[in-house]
């Protein structure tokens, strides 16, 4: 479904992501882990188009997306949630989701002359998505008025409304209280049940990674240093060294690419 080939980005003399090649299959949830500064979010930004690669390719179902802007990649099936919630704060909860549906149906180009109330199916679909993320009761409230956990749920709702082929979650539980985390995890589990989708997850909480992931890849100093089943990767010396901030030895890699 999704593949990166030699994906690289340089900022001056610093190589933030260094020739990362990886494939992601439908029906899988892959956790991307590594210490701070390892290149995880930068790798996400390269895939989704927020950053332009210095070298390499991003392919979705064999189509090269490398020269396409972020909005076009979204229209083709890459759905991205950010570390910081990315909402229309002064619009209602319902309007946030409805606009995502309008953008999807319009090929990511909303017709400003279209009267949304003439499209009852947009309203009904938005209501169904809000019920799915447990925000139906707050549909008419401004997004800015929601507590942080509900804003996270709304962002997941927007992703669901876009109907992407690939769901990308960048630290989805960041800033959430202990009571709020299970709701987000359950939403991700439900998405994962669709075996036609790819789910990518950047997450620092290893208990979350163990619970959700089918596979873990490890980035360290911008390089892919480990790739495999969660138990094996977590137990590997290279991962433990990386989390301790010790440079891994070249011959210690597990499933290295």
């Amino acid at each position: 479904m999704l593949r990166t080939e030699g994906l690289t980005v340089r900022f001056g003399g610093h190589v933030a992501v260094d020739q990362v090649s990886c494939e992601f299959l439908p029906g899988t949830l892959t956790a991307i882990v590594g210490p701070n500064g390892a290149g995880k979010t930068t790798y996400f930004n390269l895939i989704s188009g927020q950053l332009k690669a210095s070298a390499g390719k991003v392919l979705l179902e064999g189509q090269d997306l490398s020269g396409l802007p972020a909005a076009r990649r979204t229209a083709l099936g890459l759905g991205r949630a950010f570390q910081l919630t990315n909402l229309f704060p002064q619009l209602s909860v319902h309007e946030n989701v409805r606009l995502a549906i309008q953008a999807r149906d319009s090929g990511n180009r909303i017709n400003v002359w279209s009267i949304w109330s003439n499209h009852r199916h947009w309203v009904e679909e938005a209501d169904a998505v809000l019920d799915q993320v447990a925000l139906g009761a707050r549909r008419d409230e401004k997004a800015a008025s929601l507590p942080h956990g509900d804003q996270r749920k709304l962002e997941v709702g927007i992703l669901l409304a876009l109907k992407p082929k690939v769901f990308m979650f960048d630290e989805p539980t960041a800033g959430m209280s202990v009571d709020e985390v299970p709701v987000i995890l359950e939403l991700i589990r439900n998405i994962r049940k669709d075996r036609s989708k790819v789910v990518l997850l950047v997450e620092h909480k290893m208990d979350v990674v163990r619970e959700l992931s089918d596979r873990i890849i490890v980035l360290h100093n911008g390089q892919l240093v480990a790739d495999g089943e969660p138990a094996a990767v977590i137990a590997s010396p290279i991962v433990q060294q990386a989390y301790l901030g010790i440079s891994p030895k070249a011959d210690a890699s597990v499933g290295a690419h």
Side-chain angles (χ1 to χ4, degrees):
M1 177 74 78
L2 177 68
R3 186 165 79 250
T4 66
E5 295 181 353
L7 202 57
T8 301
V9 67
R10 301 180 184 89
F11 301 108
H14 175 63
V15 183
V17 172
D18 190 2
Q19 299 186 48
V20 176
S21 297
C22 205
E23 294 183 348
F24 303 97
L25 302 178
T28 61
L29 189 153
T30 300
I32 303 172
V33 305
N36 289 334
K40 304 181 296 295
T41 294
T42 304
Y43 185 50
F44 258 30
N45 288 339
L46 291 170
I47 293 172
S48 58
Q50 271 73 34
L51 276 177
K52 183 178 180 180
S54 303
K57 295 180 180 180
V58 177
L59 299 105
L60 181 66
E61 296 184 311
Q63 180 179 353
D64 189 354
L65 307 184
S66 305
L68 299 180
R72 183 64 184 145
R73 297 187 195 198
T74 299
L76 290 171
L78 289 181
R80 168 81 185 275
F82 294 81
Q83 287 182 13
L84 301 177
T85 50
N86 196 24
L87 307 171
F88 294 104
Q90 297 308 311
L91 297 183
S92 73
V93 169
H94 187 272
E95 286 168 332
N96 270 268
V97 174
R98 196 196 72 233
L99 283 173
I101 296 167
Q102 288 178 242
R104 183 200 72 209
D105 283 358
S106 306
N108 227 36
R109 296 172 181 169
I110 293 178
N111 179 2
V112 297
W113 302 109
S114 176
I115 300 173
W116 66 265
S117 58
N118 291 340
H119 299 269
R120 185 64 195 169
H121 62 287
W122 288 345
V123 177
E124 292 172 350
E125 185 177 347
D127 282 333
V129 169
L130 290 178
D131 287 341
Q132 192 174 349
V133 297
L135 287 176
R138 311 194 77 156
R139 73 186 298 279
D140 298 320
E141 298 179 30
K142 285 186 177 181
S145 71
L146 297 180
H148 179 70
D150 283 348
Q151 288 189 3
R152 286 286 188 184
K153 289 192 288 184
L154 177 56
E155 191 167 33
V156 175
I158 291 171
L159 274 187
L160 289 168
L162 291 170
K163 294 185 176 178
K165 300 169 184 175
V166 178
F167 287 81
M168 303 172 65
F169 295 98
D170 194 352
E171 297 190 43
T173 64
M176 300 184 73
S177 69
V178 174
D179 292 338
E180 292 171 328
V181 169
V183 178
I184 291 295
L185 298 188
E186 186 62 25
L187 289 172
I188 295 174
R189 282 192 205 95
N190 288 336
I191 293 168
R192 180 188 176 192
K193 290 176 183 177
D194 186 340
R195 306 307 289 176
S196 69
K197 307 297 184 185
V198 170
V199 182
L200 305 182
L201 175 72
V202 169
E203 181 57 70
H204 283 287
K205 299 183 179 73
M206 293 308 292
D207 55 338
V208 172
V209 170
R210 287 189 188 93
E211 182 179 347
L212 292 180
S213 60
D214 304 298
R215 168 193 181 196
I216 296 175
I217 66 173
V218 183
L219 294 181
H220 185 67
N221 293 331
Q223 296 181 330
L224 178 61
V225 296
D227 180 352
E229 295 182 354
V233 171
I234 291 170
S236 69
I238 195 171
V239 173
Q240 296 185 17
Q241 288 171 344
Y243 273 99
L244 290 172
I246 302 171
S247 297
K249 297 178 181 179
D251 61 356
S253 61
V254 176
H257 286 207

